[in-house]
Amino acid sequence: MSQPFDLSQFPDLPPEVVKAFAAQSAALEAARFEASVERAARQHEQAVVVEKDAFITELKALIEKLEGQVGQYRHAKFGPKSEKLDPAQLELALEDLEAAIAETQEQIAAVEEKIAASETEPEKKAPRKKRKARALPEHLPRVERVIEPDSIACPCGCGDMVRIGEDRVDRLDYIPACYQVIVTIRPKYACPKGRAGVVQAKAPAHLLEGSWPTEALLAQIAVSKHSEHMPLNRQAVVMARHGVPIDRSVLADWMGRTGALIAPVVDRIMAVLLKQGSTRLYVDETTAPVLDPGRGKTKTGYFWAVLRDDRGWNGPAPPGVVFHYRPGRKGEYADEILTGFNGTIQVDAYGAYTHLATPKRTGGDPLRLAFCWAHGRRKLIKAKPKKGSPIVDEALVRIAALYKIEDAIRGSAPDHRRAVRQDLSRQLVDQFFAWLAAQAGRVSRKSDLGAALAYMLTRQHGFRLFLDDGHVDMDSNLVENAIRSPAMNRRNALFAGHDEGGRSWARFASLIGSCKMNGVEPYAYLHDLFTRLANGHLDKDIDALMPWTYAAALDPLTMSSSGSPQ
């Protein structure tokens, strides 16, 4: 920068010249200052543009990442059936994808906030959009925490400000599990003169006499294992983290002894399902790996599920499910489990059930077998070639039309359901099997598609049975849903340690499954059940221990005038 001209070197200059030079110098300084300000503003604007470009580039990358994650989520949840994961694996995959999507959305929101903060014009600084408020359950206890300003003195000097409103924000909190020791003290009293005996209160009854756990702790361990699918070794780790180092083998001992004590209750539930007003049951089976000590490996046992749920036709009997452990999948086990039941069973077309519909059945009269349309549909989907099949596509459309009719009559009386099916569904079923037979003639029976078509064609009688009986459903999905719980427990625990361990699994799964079907919280029911069993209620009135009786006691409106569940 050039130095200003020094007029002191010329003292003889006229005053008007000095003034002219001074004015010119001031104008030059002003121009220089204006130029420097303009240059600084231009540099700032360029820096803001560069910063915004960086933000936008980052935002575009995050949006691209989010779109990819959403695409993966949709593919995992709604993609082709042939590419779908096992249900348990799918839940884990969706869980991780949802967490990744939430993380990316948070990163996008942070970048948007930075862009808004960099705006020099106030009207462009848009505040971040708030998440949509969700209501927390009303039954949860509320702890109010009021945060007051440091001072409410009015700046104008008029005194304290007055309260004109408030903002409320709900947040969900967690109180860690707390273990405690209950010390029972029973004082002894005696006559000071030794003229009478000793007086002492009677010791309270315990479910497991001579052991540490209360009925509440036993219920918690059982629910954690059989409802939340947390094996005992993991529970032992959690307990140790809370300062209660109890070995897994001790927990197993507690559960084994408890499992033996609940056996009569589960047996009673099964007796009710088989004989008390039941005309139709669902039956299914799933594998139950069991340790085989003699060979040092696992063998394959089975959980057989027997379920009653008459809500589809508005039946009066309460729903329930009982699981039976058996070492195999032979038909004799199905006959043994269903001994005493006469009516209809809803099953897949597994061959073990076939003899139950013949005079060879030893456990009662021949049963009617209603086959599951969902299984038939699944076989068609599985047989669909990768390049597609118009036969499978049309078959699925025809089956979907039947399900649409079923949706409209679910919960209606049996006579109404039968009438609608005779009027609407029968024609569709007749057309479906006639069309299926025509397609089967065009497809090799040795192909997967040919086998899937033959599967339904050769079992027409069982697939048509729902048309003539309003008590029967189109599929056995209800029992398949119920059987997922022990299947999840199997995946987490890998195997049962013994056949008796498999039977214990089945008993707990029966009680917890029946609780869920009746809208009962499993922990509350088991706590109450264990307390009643400890106090000898089993010998007084076993029917009062049923899950549906517990549900009715919680909701008096569901009780009839006689006191039994509606």
Side-chain angles (χ1 to χ4, degrees):
M1 181 183 293
S2 60
Q3 296 295 324
F5 191 71
D6 188 5
L7 294 178
S8 63
Q9 299 177 14
F10 306 96
D12 299 331
L13 286 177
E16 58 271 16
V17 175
V18 174
K19 289 182 180 180
F21 270 109
Q24 186 179 8
S25 178
L28 183 60
E29 283 298 322
R32 286 173 178 166
F33 176 75
E34 186 177 345
S36 64
V37 170
E38 187 177 331
R39 184 166 56 253
R42 187 166 55 252
Q43 290 173 347
H44 174 72
E45 185 176 346
Q46 291 173 349
V48 169
V49 170
V50 170
E51 185 180 19
K52 283 186 178 179
D53 288 343
F55 286 156
I56 291 172
T57 301
E58 184 180 358
L59 187 60
K60 286 181 178 179
L62 286 171
I63 291 174
E64 185 178 350
K65 178 182 176 182
L66 179 61
E67 289 174 344
Q69 290 170 345
V70 171
Q72 292 174 3
Y73 179 88
R74 288 175 176 167
H75 183 78
K77 191 170 184 179
F78 307 111
K81 298 285 185 181
S82 60
E83 299 178 17
K84 279 203 169 182
L85 299 170
D86 174 91
Q89 294 175 323
L90 178 61
E91 287 183 9
L92 293 175
L94 293 178
E95 176 183 308
D96 289 338
L97 278 170
E98 287 164 347
I101 289 171
E103 180 182 349
T104 304
Q105 287 176 330
E106 192 66 23
Q107 292 171 344
I108 290 175
V111 174
E112 289 176 339
E113 278 190 350
K114 290 179 181 178
I115 294 176
S118 67
E119 289 289 352
T120 56
E121 300 178 29
E123 62 274 9
K124 293 185 179 180
K125 293 185 177 182
R128 179 178 176 179
K129 293 181 180 178
K130 293 183 178 180
R131 287 177 176 265
K132 187 177 180 181
R134 297 181 182 179
L136 291 170
E138 290 295 330
H139 69 271
L140 293 177
R142 258 68 176 176
V143 178
E144 292 191 352
R145 187 175 58 178
V146 180
I147 304 176
E148 295 282 2
D150 293 336
S151 173
I152 59 171
C154 184
C156 78
C158 67
D160 289 343
M161 293 182 173
V162 295
R163 185 168 177 170
I164 60 171
E166 64 183 20
D167 288 332
R168 282 179 172 259
V169 177
D170 290 346
R171 298 181 68 204
L172 188 61
D173 193 19
Y174 169 71
I175 301 174
C178 177
Y179 293 92
Q180 62 183 4
V181 177
I182 296 178
V183 182
T184 302
I185 301 172
R186 295 186 297 132
K188 296 180 179 180
Y189 296 91
C191 174
K193 297 182 179 181
R195 296 174 182 173
V198 176
V199 175
Q200 187 180 29
K202 185 179 179 181
H206 300 149
L207 185 64
L208 300 184
E209 293 293 349
S211 293
W212 283 340
T214 63
E215 289 67 40
L217 180 57
L218 291 172
Q220 175 60 33
I221 295 171
V223 169
S224 294
K225 178 176 180 179
H226 298 281
S227 182
E228 277 75 61
H229 320 298
M230 183 183 291
L232 296 181
N233 64 314
R234 297 184 193 171
Q235 292 193 53
V237 171
V238 173
M239 294 178 75
R241 181 165 59 84
H242 287 282
V244 187
I246 295 185
D247 194 76
R248 176 204 53 78
S249 61
V250 176
L251 300 181
D253 174 75
W254 294 348
M255 285 295 96
R257 293 160 62 191
T258 305
L261 293 173
I262 63 175
V265 179
V266 177
D267 292 343
R268 178 58 180 168
I269 294 176
M270 186 62 188
V272 172
L273 296 188
L274 290 177
K275 297 180 181 179
Q276 290 193 2
S278 299
T279 60
R280 183 276 314 262
L281 295 174
Y282 300 85
V283 185
D284 199 5
E285 73 289 329
T286 187
T287 57
V290 175
L291 190 64
D292 189 354
R295 297 189 301 162
K297 57 177 70 174
T298 60
K299 60 183 179 181
T300 302
Y302 283 86
F303 285 134
W304 294 72
V306 179
L307 180 143
R308 178 179 71 185
D309 191 342
D310 295 341
R311 289 173 291 187
W313 53 272
N314 200 25
V321 61
V322 173
F323 295 91
H324 302 261
Y325 171 78
R326 292 294 184 273
R329 201 186 181 196
K330 297 178 181 178
E332 62 190 66
Y333 297 127
D335 205 347
E336 173 191 334
I337 290 168
L338 293 170
T339 296
F341 174 73
N342 296 310
T344 302
I345 57 173
Q346 298 221 222
V347 294
D348 56 25
Y350 175 53
Y353 302 111
T354 304
H355 77 285
L356 299 178
T358 68
K360 294 181 180 180
R361 185 194 175 203
T362 59
D365 299 334
L367 298 176
R368 297 195 306 162
L369 307 185
F371 291 149
C372 174
W373 280 78
H375 274 79
R377 180 175 58 184
R378 237 172 269 148
K379 285 187 175 291
L380 290 169
I381 294 172
K382 190 175 181 180
K384 184 177 180 179
K386 288 186 177 181
K387 62 182 180 180
S389 169
I391 294 177
V392 173
D393 292 340
E394 184 168 348
L396 297 181
V397 170
R398 290 173 179 267
I399 294 174
L402 291 171
Y403 270 101
K404 190 170 184 180
I405 297 173
E406 290 300 301
D407 289 340
I409 60 175
R410 185 169 289 110
S412 301
D415 291 343
H416 175 70
R417 282 158 60 96
R418 183 181 181 278
V420 171
R421 288 168 175 173
Q422 292 290 325
D423 188 36
L424 301 177
S425 301
R426 178 174 290 280
Q427 181 181 358
L428 297 179
V429 171
D430 290 342
Q431 294 173 354
F432 174 77
F433 280 108
W435 173 83
L436 210 62
Q439 305 310 310
R442 301 167 47 199
V443 179
S444 171
R445 289 181 63 89
K446 295 182 180 180
S447 66
D448 291 340
L449 181 56
L453 299 176
Y455 172 85
M456 298 196 73
L457 284 170
T458 56
R459 296 167 175 80
Q460 283 192 55
H461 177 73
F463 283 111
R464 290 176 177 272
L465 192 59
F466 82 101
L467 297 171
D468 300 314
D469 189 344
H471 300 89
V472 176
D473 287 332
M474 270 188 67
D475 56 45
S476 57
N477 284 348
L478 287 175
V479 71
E480 287 193 13
N481 292 337
I483 218 166
R484 286 179 182 172
S485 183
M488 283 289 291
N489 201 31
R490 175 189 67 209
R491 291 187 187 97
N492 283 276
L494 300 182
F495 53 81
H498 188 271
D499 284 340
E500 187 56 41
R503 283 185 279 273
S504 181
W505 271 22
R507 294 186 194 114
F508 282 109
S510 301
L511 293 180
I512 290 174
S514 295
C515 281
K516 292 179 179 178
M517 292 182 70
N518 286 275
V520 172
E521 202 283 304
Y523 169 80
Y525 168 76
L526 290 182
H527 185 192
D528 182 76
L529 173 66
F530 294 166
T531 302
R532 293 191 183 199
L533 290 176
N535 288 281
H537 198 96
L538 185 65
D539 298 328
K540 300 175 185 176
D541 183 7
I542 192 172
D543 285 333
L545 303 178
M546 301 294 101
W548 47 80
T549 308
Y550 183 86
L554 294 178
D555 185 4
L557 295 178
T558 63
M559 299 291 288
S560 66
S561 58
S562 63
S564 59
Q566 292 283 0

